[in-house]
Amino acid sequence: MPSLADTRKFSKSARVRTRADYSCAFDGAKRLHGPLLQLAVKREVAAETGARLGIAVSRKVDGNAVGRNRIKRVWRETFRHQRMHLPAGTYVAVAKPPAAQADNPALRAALLELLARAARLPGHPAIGTMPRDASSTPSVPDAASPASHSD
């Protein structure tokens, strides 16, 4: 889990950086849609890294690099403040074209809304070797019992 000092910065361990990381994040991810962005959420079983963020803002969204960087800057800062409250996993925000015309508070609110919805998503089912609950297993009549024999 990230420490309090990690919340003040957006370290490399808190970012999705490589193409392989992005591909892995999209494989099997839950996708949440809002008017300004799509958020792909993939929960992680190992919580050492905590929540990680990837951002994709294409030139189709805003042809101006200054505009694309503004969107990314607002979302990084918003995520940095929310990171400690999110379940461990990979979050990838993909901007939609209306994001270019949105002001900073609207960008922040759109990401916060989807992060809140993502935090309520059910986690991964537990995997392990625990036996099933006895009440959920069907009962099989014993072959030696008299009730199972019909004469």
Side-chain angles (χ1 to χ4, degrees):
M1 205 61 176
S3 69
L4 183 61
D6 289 338
T7 61
R8 294 191 187 101
K9 61 183 180 177
F10 198 61
S11 65
K12 288 182 181 182
S13 66
R15 297 181 232 162
V16 178
R17 298 176 36 173
T18 65
R19 182 181 183 105
D21 284 346
Y22 275 96
S23 294
C24 182
F26 282 114
D27 290 340
K30 296 281 187 183
R31 288 178 172 79
L32 305 170
H33 294 271
L36 303 180
L37 74 141
Q38 171 191 346
L39 186 68
V41 180
K42 186 168 185 183
R43 294 280 177 88
E44 311 260 338
V45 176
E48 300 93 35
T49 59
R52 300 181 334 139
L53 176 69
I55 301 174
V57 184
S58 74
R59 278 182 269 168
K60 289 181 181 180
V61 172
D62 193 344
N64 188 359
V66 173
R68 293 191 305 272
N69 290 337
R70 177 184 66 89
I71 294 167
K72 290 188 275 189
R73 185 174 57 246
V74 169
W75 285 347
R76 269 194 308 265
E77 184 66 12
T78 303
F79 186 81
R80 185 178 67 86
H81 287 287
Q82 295 299 314
R83 186 171 181 230
M84 292 291 288
H85 308 291
L86 293 171
T90 304
Y91 301 80
V92 178
V94 181
K96 293 182 178 180
Q101 284 74 41
D103 60 350
N104 291 355
L107 289 170
R108 188 174 298 112
L111 182 62
L112 285 173
E113 181 210 344
L114 291 185
L115 287 175
R117 284 173 48 195
R120 291 191 302 264
L121 286 174
H124 284 296
I127 43 179
T129 58
M130 294 294 294
R132 283 195 239 168
D133 185 14
S135 63
S136 68
T137 58
S139 62
V140 178
D142 187 22
S145 74
S148 65
H149 288 70
S150 60
D151 293 291

